[in-house]
């Protein structure tokens, strides 16, 4: 690579998409935000720089353009890239190679040296923490640029943050990148600047921010169509109580967690119904985008394998299953990326940073519900390749997840959680609150592991798009014409066209419902769904009353009713079966009274 004088005008070095490396100074222009960030970077020549850009915006391109420019100006002579996972190391090395920057992704601290053919190395945060002193020695030997990809991971463990700080404190330049909301804990991230806000609480300060809303307006990322599904869930607690609840209704934290786990249980009806709906959506998208692919994000490996079996039954095609502890994981992701196969199922491997541009449909089938993970997961689907592409993400109607979906355009800084004026160290603040929250999570996990899923059914709830909601509040059967009105939306639409079409279909559906509404106001005219909901509520109320009168656990009462009257759990019982149980428990009450 030829050197360039410091005074030379800044020339964008790399295009947004990676072709073969063009001759120096002749590559196509960068995206506007990348050019603006580079101009700012070289105008201020900072030692530390934090760029926050939405997933899919091109942070890798920006960082490697900066690296190429610094190398060309001889301001640095070595590059160290720190990434969260082994797969991302390889992805960075491949991208850098296409940019004319040879990076060794196999380097380890114990290895010591690397081939002279490389100008840099790629390592993981965990790898740095293993031997930060060796990394520090290497950093000191050269004028080094350190690229910290998804820098919030430097706070994943105390040893990681300390390792990163020790290893890269001597670096000539440090370029930190993130594409997701920062962590909500109070551990400061190395080399990130914090300043008190208007409320006195320290927050991270980004040198350049390019949010989702801005990227969407620039057509850099795809708009996201969130397809939310609710439904009735039934499970048995450790105490033997049978619980019936609707996914999405206001519940306690533990009941919400249990309802969600019941929905995601591959033995129920909810997950097969949602996977089938997602595949129908993928078929529609592939009419316009032939190589479009889908990704299911699962909670654990057993669920991932079970979901893959369901997808095979639905599609007739084997899904690619990516498990983080398999040596072949990276190769599987690469093979899927380069193919036109329909579905990939993963646990966490593809949740952050992994670039599979053809992913257009996703199923959020995991119990992880933090803003950070949600943003990372949705970020896998928003990378735009052409005008009009829209991402579709299917998710459970859990209030927290629906809130995240509605706040896609909100940008978050890393809040350390304590006012500067408070006593003590601002970085050690609110520990009691953190411990209490962690204890609450542990309690939920313990409860989640002590219940048995009995049955589930899925209902199409609503669509969230561009800050608006469209749908029928969980009253639509899976496979119905009303659901297909939304699943069959064309795969290529501009955001304004999408919004107009959603509003039109919502209006048309409302007119159909009004025209079909019966004039009679008798109870017999209510829909099957409404009738079942009324009967379940009545049965549950009677079971609760029986518990107060006799002390008998709810679950034992439900089990006895099922034994005497027959039929499945209340969540999936028919109206006649529920009515028979209601009559039976009323008879019990009458006999006990007499």
């Amino acid at each position: 690579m030829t050197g360039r004088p410091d005074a030379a005008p800044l020339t964008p070095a790399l295009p947004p998409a990676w072709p073969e490396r063009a001759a120096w100074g002749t590559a196509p222009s960068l995206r506007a935000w990348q050019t603006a960030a580079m101009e700012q970077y070289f105008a201020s020549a900072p030692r530390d720089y934090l760029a926050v850009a939405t997933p899919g915006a091109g942070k890798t391109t920006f960082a490697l353009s900066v690296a190429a420019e610094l190398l060309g100006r001889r301001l640095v002579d070595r590059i160290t890239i720190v990434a969260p996972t082994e797969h991302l190391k390889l992805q960075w090395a491949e991208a850098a190679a296409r940019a004319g920057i040879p990076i060794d992704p196999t380097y380890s601290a114990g290895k010591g040296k690397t081939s002279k053919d490389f100008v840099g190395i790629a390592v993981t945060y965990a790898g740095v923490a293993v031997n930060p002193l060796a990394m520090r020695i290497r950093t000191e030997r050269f004028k080094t640029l350190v690229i910290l990809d998804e820098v919030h991971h430097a706070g994943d463990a105390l040893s990681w943050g300390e390792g990163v700080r020790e290893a890269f404190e001597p670096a000539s330049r440090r370029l930190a990148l993130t594409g997701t909301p920062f962590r909500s804990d109070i551990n400061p991230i190395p080399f990130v600047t914090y300043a008190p806000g208007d409320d006195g609480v320290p927050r991270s300060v980004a040198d350049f921010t390019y949010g989702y809303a801005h990227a969407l307006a620039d057509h850099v990322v795809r708009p996201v169509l969130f397809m939310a599904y609710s439904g009735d869930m039934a499970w048995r607690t450790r105490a033997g109580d049978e619980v019936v609840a609707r996914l999405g209704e206001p519940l306690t934290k533990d009941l919400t967690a249990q309802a969600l786990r019941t929905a995601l249980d591959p033995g129920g009806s909810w997950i097969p119904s949602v996977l089938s709906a997602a595949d129908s959506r993928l078929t529609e998208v592939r009419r316009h985008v032939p190589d479009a692919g889908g990704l299911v994000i699962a909670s654990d490996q057993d669920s991932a394998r079970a979901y893959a079996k369901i997808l095979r039954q639905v599609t007739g095609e084997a899904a690619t299953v990516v498990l983080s502890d398999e040596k072949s994981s990276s190769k599987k992701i690469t093979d899927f990326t380069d193919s036109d196969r329909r579905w990939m199922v993963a646990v966490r491997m593809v949740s952050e940073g992994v670039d599979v541009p053809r992913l257009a449909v996703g199923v959020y089938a995991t119990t992880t519900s933090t803003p950070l993970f949600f943003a990372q997961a949705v970020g896998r689907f928003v990378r735009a390749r052409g005008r009009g592409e829209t991402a579709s993400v299917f998710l459970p109607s859990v209030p927290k997840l629906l809130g995240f979906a509605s706040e896609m355009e909100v940008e978050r800084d890393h809040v350390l959680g304590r006012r500067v004026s408070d006593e003590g160290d601002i970085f050690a603040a609110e520990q009691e609150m953190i411990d209490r929250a962690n204890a609450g999570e542990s309690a939920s996990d313990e409860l989640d592991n002590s219940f048995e899923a009995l049955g589930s059914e899925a209902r199409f709830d609503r669509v969230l798009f561009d800050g608006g909601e469209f749908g029928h509040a969980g009253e639509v059967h899976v496979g119905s014409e009303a659901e297909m009105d939304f699943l069959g939306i064309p795969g290529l639409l501009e955001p304004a066209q999408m919004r107009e079409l959603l509003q039109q279909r919502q209006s048309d559906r409302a007119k159909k419902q009004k025209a079909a509404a019966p004039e009679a106001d008798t109870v017999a005219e209510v829909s099957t769904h409404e009738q079942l909901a009324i009967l379940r509520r009545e049965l549950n109320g009677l079971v609760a009353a029986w518990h107060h009168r006799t002390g008998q656990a709810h679950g034992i009462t439900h089990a006895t009713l099922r034994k005497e009257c027959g039929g499945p759990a209340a969540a999936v019982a028919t109206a006649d079966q529920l009515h028979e149980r209601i009559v039976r428990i009323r008879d019990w009450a009458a006999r006990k009274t007499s």
Side-chain angles (χ1 to χ4, degrees), residues 127-269:
V128 172
V130 169
N131 196 340
L133 180 58
M135 294 300 302
R136 182 185 184 96
I137 292 171
R138 178 182 173 85
T139 304
E140 289 174 334
R141 286 178 57 204
F142 307 102
K143 290 187 296 182
T144 303
L145 165 67
V146 178
I147 298 174
L148 298 164
D149 183 29
E150 303 297 353
V151 68
H152 51 269
H153 282 287
D156 278 354
L158 185 60
S159 63
W160 287 22
E162 292 175 344
V164 166
R165 190 176 299 280
E166 179 180 353
F168 303 122
E169 193 280 328
S172 299
R173 300 286 183 100
R174 292 179 291 256
L175 174 58
L177 309 171
T178 187
T180 56
F182 263 145
R183 304 170 58 80
S184 56
D185 60 25
I186 57 172
N187 296 326
I189 299 168
F191 312 124
V192 170
T193 300
Y194 292 86
D198 295 337
D199 57 359
V201 178
R203 287 175 168 80
S204 59
V205 179
D207 296 284
F208 193 93
T209 300
Y210 186 66
Y212 176 77
H214 196 171
L216 190 61
D218 291 345
H219 302 284
V220 168
V221 295
R222 299 168 178 156
V224 183
L225 195 70
F226 289 100
M227 317 286 286
Y229 281 73
S230 62
D232 291 322
M233 309 294 138
W235 64 92
R236 182 182 292 112
T237 68
R238 176 184 293 173
D241 294 338
E242 284 191 15
V243 181
V244 178
R246 163 153 290 205
L247 195 66
E249 288 185 347
L251 300 169
T252 66
K253 179 180 177 182
D254 289 327
L255 288 178
T256 296
Q258 292 172 346
L260 177 57
R261 283 184 177 261
T262 301
L264 300 182
D265 177 29
S269 297

Side-chain angles (χ1 to χ4, degrees), residues 34 44 73 175 190 325 383 419 457 495 519 536 549:
Q34 294 163 335
S44 58
R73 296 185 180 193
L175 174 58
D325 62 355
R383 186 178 299 276
R419 298 178 185 277
E457 64 169 355
E519 295 184 5
R536 288 192 196 102
R549 290 185 63 181

